Every structure is written in C-alpha cells, then in structure tokens.
C-alpha cells in the first residue's frame, strides 16, 4: 500500500479556477499577498494523513509508541496536531521540551534525547516529568542520577547505543555507524549497565535506543538494527538477569524530494520492523518488547511548501540564467549543507507552456546560496510566486538570521482557511536582544 511520504506534493495540491496553485483550498498567490513571502505553508490534511498512515501501518503491533522527532519542525500548533493524532514526542533540547510542555502535551509521552544534555536541561526534563530520557554517555548517567537524587525522583531511561550499521545517506545525517559521536559503543554497554545496577540508584533502565540515520530508503537496515537491539536485550538478561522490555529504533524513513527519490511506504517499513521483531524475539528467546519509533522528516516534510517571490535575474553570457528569490539558505539551509534537491512550480503560471531552464538563486551573500540548480519552469518575471515542495522538515527548524534577515512566517491551511502558526519576525525582533553597553551610548 502507498503512503503520503512517497508523494512530492501535499495531497490537497490543485490548480484552481483561476489557474493558480492551491493547497488546503487556499490559493497560493493569495497566501503570498496576505502574509508576504518567504512563507512556510503547512497542509493540515496531509500532516494528519501521514499520522494515520503510521498508525494504520503499525496497528498489528500492540506495543508501539510513535514519537514525532520534533527537531524536524517544532512549533506549538504542530505539537497540538501531533498530540491530537496520538503521537508522543522525541525532543532534544530544553526549547523543544518547553514547546511541547506549553502546548499541553502529556509529558509522559515525551522522550529526551541528545549527546550532550546540560545539567539545566536534565533538570527541566525531570521537573516537567518527561517519560523517558535516552542516556547517551557516562557523564550523563552520573549527572542524571545526581539530579534525580536531589529531587527525590527516579529517572526512567533508555541507553542510546551505536549499533554499527551504515546506511546509504548523506554522511552528515548517518548516525548509527561505529565511529559516531552518539551513544554508547556496543563494547561500553555492560559498563553502563553495571554502573546503573550498582551505583545509580535513581536511574531505572527500561531498554535500548538506536538511530541509524535519516532520509533512508533501504528497509534492510531496520531489520539489522532490530536484530542488534533484541540480541543485546537477550544478552543483558542472560548476563545480569535484567528484564528490559523496550526498544527504540529511532527515525529515518525517507521522503520524495524529486522524481528520482523512491522512498518505501510506511506500510513496507512497518512490515519489515514487525517481521524482524517477531523473528528475533523467537531467535533470542525474549518477550515481545514495547517498540518506540521516532519519525521526523517523513511525518512533516510532505505537508510543507515554501513560497517565494521572484526578484532579479541574470543571464550569464553563454552561461546559466540565475533567477533570484527573496529567501534562500537562511530559511532552507539543506541545499547548501547537504546538496539537497527540491522540486518547484510557479504558483501563478500553471498553464503557461513556454519554459526555460533556470537556476534559482537565494538572496543571501554566499555564492553557495543556490536553492535549485537547472530547473525547467515557465518564463519567470519579477513578482511571480515560486512554490518549493516538500519543505516541512528541517527548514524552519534549521533557519537562521544570516545577513540579519528576519525569519519567515508559517501558516497552516485547511478547508480553504489559513491561520498563522508562526509570526513573521520583525526588524525590532532582530534587535530585541541587542544590548549597547553604557560607555557606547
Ligand atoms: N531520532 C533521533 C535520535 C535522531 O537523531 C533523528 C534525526 C530522528 C529520530 C529523526 O529522523 P528523521 O525521521 O527525521 O529522519 N538536518 C538533517 C537531518 C538530521 C536528522 C538528525 N536526527 C536534514 O535536513 O536532512
């Protein structure tokens, strides 16, 4: 069965009676007029559809906890939608914990991850009562035990391990290979467990956690990862009589950024995961563990598009034609950082046939600020609205104020209605934390 993460565009994308692109029943040129550009647009129907794909795909497995990896896009409104769809949250900072907490999420459904959590962050996590903390290293075990003791609490933890699995994705977004900054090496697990059992009385260990990478198209890596996690649970049971009953396999399922991308569906992934669990639980003779999965990109990416207004253009003599937009690497760093590719269409020129090949250049002061290389689009002129697809994940969440440019707004669209969910930054917002020392006044 197909699922939404295999689509390039939000499910509600249409051409309306004016010949303009519309999403969630909202004309994109009107959204650009009303809210200005660059503008992030999130389609609620697509987002909820993905959540339902995930739930349906895993319905056969009774002990599954979907934890949305909020690093992909963390806002108060998005947190409310995911909470409403029954997802928990994988968080990696006090900022993400605070956002979901303030959005009214049940904190027992929140997990806290990260390779260098600070004292303050661990303290906050315990205070608001996050359900699980995935302990990443020896320092963290000691710190967490100390903080939990001082608060007379027990911290419920998993151990993050590096399973030694290489997946075929960009090297910056591989995490499960052996030489990784994340988690305990397989050879360090026993030492960590022994410390927990003998010294760290305020830690309660529930299971193991791994994450192998992101934008993954292969299914076999999940099979292999589960085998390692189950094998380790069984080994720890044998060696320490320790009955751990949770495994967290991280996130990573890919999405379709261009026609060349063919990610597996959530149904295929779920099948591989469930089969591997059933197989390995038998092979290693343990009870079926509770499963945690932490998808981020595949949950939010397809529901998002970014709108830009076309500005200047430059035809290099005997070379490329550059067309500039009013955004770029500060609102979407992915092309500059990972050579990521995107598809785009012109929102106001759907039926124009005369096309030309152009390179979409960002407005930031870097030659590397190119959003899309060599794309065929209808002839662009100043004021046209460009719609870049599949930008829900890792765009706003990685945005910066480079060149002192305010961050764009974000709107949620549904049933022909649009609502602001992140306000556009103002020039005053930009200087709001600046301080001029007395002697410079
Ligand atoms: N769990 C853990 C422990 C993670 O580190 C990550 C992502 C996820 C879950 C969610 O992975 P996803 O389902 O989104 O692939 N900025 C990069 C992606 C970095 C992913 C980091 N960790 C990008 O734009 O491609």
């Amino acid at each position: 069965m197909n699922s939404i993460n295999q689509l390039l565009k939000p499910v509600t994308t249409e051409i309306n009676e004016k010949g303009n692109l519309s999403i969630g029943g909202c004309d994109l040129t009107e959204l650009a007029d009303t809210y200005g550009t660059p503008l992030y647009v999130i389609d609620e129907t697509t987002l909820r559809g993905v959540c339902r794909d995930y739930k349906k795909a895993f319905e056969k497995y009774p002990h599954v906890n979907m934890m949305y990896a909020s690093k992909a896009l963390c806002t108060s409104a998005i947190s409310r939608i995911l909470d409403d769809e029954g997802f928990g949250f994988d968080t990696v900072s006090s900022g993400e914990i605070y956002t979901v907490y303030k959005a009214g999420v049940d904190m027992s459904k929140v997990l806290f991850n990260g390779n260098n959590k600070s004292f303050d962050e661990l303290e906050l996590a315990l205070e608001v009562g996050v359900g699980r903390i995935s302990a990443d290293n020896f320092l963290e075990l000691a710190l967490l035990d100390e903080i939990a003791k001082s608060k007379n609490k027990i911290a419920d933890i998993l151990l993050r391990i590096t399973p030694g699995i290489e997946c075929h994705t960009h090297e910056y977004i591989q995490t499960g290979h052996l030489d990784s900054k994340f988690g305990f090496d397989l050879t360090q697990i026993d030492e960590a467990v022994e410390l927990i059992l003998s010294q760290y009385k305020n830690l309660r260990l529930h299971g193991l956690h791994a994450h192998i990478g992101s934008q993954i198209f292969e299914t076999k890596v999940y099979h292999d990862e589960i085998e390692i996690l189950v094998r380790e649970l069984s080994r720890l049971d044998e060696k320490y009589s320790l009955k751990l009953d949770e495994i967290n396999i991280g996130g990573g399922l890919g999405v379709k950024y261009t026609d060349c991308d063919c990610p597996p569906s959530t149904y295929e992934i779920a099948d591989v995961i469930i089969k591997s669990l059933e197989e390995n639980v038998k092979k290693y003779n343990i009870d079926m563990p509770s499963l945690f999965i932490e998808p981020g990109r595949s949950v939010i990416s397809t529901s998002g598009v970014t709108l830009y207004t076309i500005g200047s253009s430059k035809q290099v003599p005997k070379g490329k034609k550059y067309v500039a937009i009013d955004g770029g690497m500060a609102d979407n760093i992915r092309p500059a950082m990972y050579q990521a590719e995107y598809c785009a269409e012109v929102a106001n020129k759907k039926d124009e046939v005369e096309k030309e090949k152009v390179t979409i250049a960002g407005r930031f002061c870097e030659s590397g600020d190119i959003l899309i290389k060599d794309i065929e689009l209808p002839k662009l002129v100043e004021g046209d609205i460009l719609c870049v697809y599949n930008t829900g994940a890792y765009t706003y969440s990685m945005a910066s104020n480079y060149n002192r440019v305010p961050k764009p707004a974000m709107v949620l669209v549904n049933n022909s209605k649009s609502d602001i969910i992140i306000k556009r930054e103002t020039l005053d917002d930009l200087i709001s934390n600046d301080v001029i020392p007395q002697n410079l006044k």
Side-chain angles (χ1 to χ4, degrees):
M1 199 161 24
N2 293 335
S3 59
I4 292 177
N5 70 304
Q6 299 176 299
L7 303 177
L8 204 55
K9 307 177 186 179
V11 294
T12 60
T13 310
E14 284 173 356
I15 299 167
N16 64 16
E17 63 292 350
K18 293 186 190 146
N20 292 338
L21 271 175
S22 90
I23 291 178
C26 297
D27 184 314
L28 298 186
T29 64
E30 284 170 20
L31 290 180
D33 251 10
T34 311
Y35 300 105
T37 57
L39 181 68
Y40 299 107
V41 180
I42 301 285
D43 180 40
E44 191 171 340
T45 307
T46 305
L47 176 53
R48 289 190 185 268
V50 176
C51 295
R52 285 163 200 174
D53 276 340
Y54 263 108
K55 283 185 281 185
K56 196 148 184 264
F58 282 94
E59 72 190 355
K60 280 180 265 164
Y61 194 73
H63 331 280
V64 64
N65 304 279
M66 317 275 182
M67 314 293 277
Y68 167 63
S70 48
K71 58 178 77 65
L73 175 62
C74 184
T75 85
S76 305
I78 297 297
S79 304
R80 305 255 341 155
I81 294 175
L82 284 150
D83 185 45
D84 188 43
E85 290 294 336
F87 274 58
F89 295 81
D90 152 31
T91 58
V92 289
S93 66
S94 45
E96 289 184 0
I97 293 175
Y98 191 68
T99 306
V100 296
Y101 175 67
K102 289 300 237 185
V105 164
D106 169 3
M107 295 308 281
S108 70
K109 288 167 61 185
V110 175
L111 175 120
F112 185 27
N113 259 316
N115 71 314
N116 191 24
K117 305 175 187 82
S118 70
F119 189 94
D120 290 353
E121 286 178 316
L122 290 169
E123 206 168 33
L124 175 71
L126 283 181
E127 252 157 41
V128 299
V130 306
R132 293 286 179 272
I133 296 177
S134 182
D136 191 276
N137 53 67
F138 290 107
L139 172 66
E140 186 184 330
L141 289 176
L143 265 182
L144 189 56
D145 184 62
E146 181 191 324
I147 300 169
K149 198 175 291 162
S150 72
K151 293 186 179 300
N152 216 5
K153 289 194 171 181
I154 298 288
D156 291 298
I157 65 167
L158 303 176
L159 284 185
R160 167 97 182 243
I161 65 162
T162 344
I165 292 172
E166 305 239 349
C167 54
H168 298 109
T169 188
H170 194 285
E171 73 170 302
Y172 291 5
I173 52 179
Q174 283 183 359
T175 43
H177 53 298
L178 283 176
D179 185 11
S180 158
K181 71 171 184 175
F182 296 103
F184 293 93
D185 187 82
L186 290 174
T187 58
Q188 298 169 326
I189 297 178
D190 290 7
E191 189 183 342
V193 166
E194 283 163 24
L195 281 167
I196 295 166
L197 294 178
S198 63
Q199 283 187 41
Y200 296 145
K201 299 294 178 206
N202 290 65
L203 305 185
R204 188 189 295 132
L205 179 61
H206 293 266
L208 300 178
H209 175 206
H211 168 76
I212 44 185
S214 201
Q215 185 61 354
I216 294 175
F217 289 180
E218 309 147 84
T219 53
K220 186 170 177 303
V221 286
Y222 288 101
H223 181 280
D224 298 349
E225 180 193 13
I226 288 168
E227 164 143 27
I228 293 171
L229 288 166
V230 171
R231 186 193 72 203
E232 288 303 302
L233 286 196
S234 159
R235 198 182 58 73
L236 293 173
D237 185 12
E238 228 160 76
K239 186 161 175 190
Y240 302 105
S241 298
L242 186 59
K243 298 261 176 265
L244 301 179
D245 58 1
E246 292 180 6
I247 62 169
N248 182 333
I249 61 169
L253 175 60
V255 299
K256 187 178 182 74
Y257 286 113
T258 70
D259 283 329
C260 302
D261 292 333
C262 297
S265 75
T266 41
Y267 300 96
E268 274 172 83
I269 286 284
D271 268 358
V272 170
I273 291 171
I274 295 168
K275 277 202 189 101
S276 173
L277 268 168
E278 288 169 347
E279 211 178 288
N280 285 298
V281 157
K282 262 199 211 119
K283 181 167 168 192
Y284 292 99
N285 195 25
I286 62 163
D287 291 338
M288 261 300 192
S290 280
L291 171 72
F292 289 70
I293 56 169
E294 301 170 331
R297 184 193 319 266
S298 56
V299 173
I300 193 72
S301 185
T302 318
S303 63
V305 304
T306 311
L307 306 181
Y308 300 98
T309 302
I310 299 293
S312 63
S313 60
K314 171 184 177 178
Q315 175 68 62
V316 177
K318 300 201 188 96
K320 278 190 193 308
K321 179 165 181 186
Y322 289 95
V323 177
I325 50 171
D326 54 355
M329 66 187 292
D331 56 76
N332 184 356
I333 187 74
R334 300 193 70 261
M337 192 157 173
Y338 315 113
Q339 302 78 48
E341 293 182 9
Y342 285 91
C343 277
E345 286 183 301
V346 187
N348 53 311
K349 286 189 172 165
K350 273 305 291 175
D351 37 10
E352 235 163 78
V353 281
E354 204 191 332
K355 301 216 165 165
E356 62 178 349
K357 194 187 268 183
V358 294
T359 285
I360 305 294
R363 51 131 327 145
F364 296 90
C365 298
E366 300 262 350
S367 299
D369 181 24
I370 299 292
L371 199 65
I372 306 179
K373 279 189 190 140
D374 298 329
I375 178 171
E376 291 263 347
L377 288 171
K379 278 202 162 187
L380 291 165
V381 295
E382 188 215 337
D384 284 340
I385 301 298
L386 189 72
C387 169
V388 180
Y389 289 110
N390 231 312
T391 58
Y394 302 114
T395 53
Y396 176 77
S397 68
M398 297 177 80
S400 75
N401 289 118
Y402 185 46
N403 291 176
R404 208 68 161 170
V405 171
K407 285 186 197 157
M410 185 177 291
V411 293
L412 183 70
V413 292
N414 198 13
N415 291 330
S416 309
K417 191 169 149 286
S418 60
D419 289 298
I420 277 276
I421 58 169
I422 296 177
K423 291 189 225 162
R424 185 173 299 284
E425 275 182 353
T426 63
L427 295 177
D428 279 326
D429 288 335
L430 287 178
I431 58 166
S432 64
N433 287 323
D434 288 11
V435 178
I436 302 178
Q438 205 52 42
N439 63 320
L440 293 178
K441 280 189 178 158

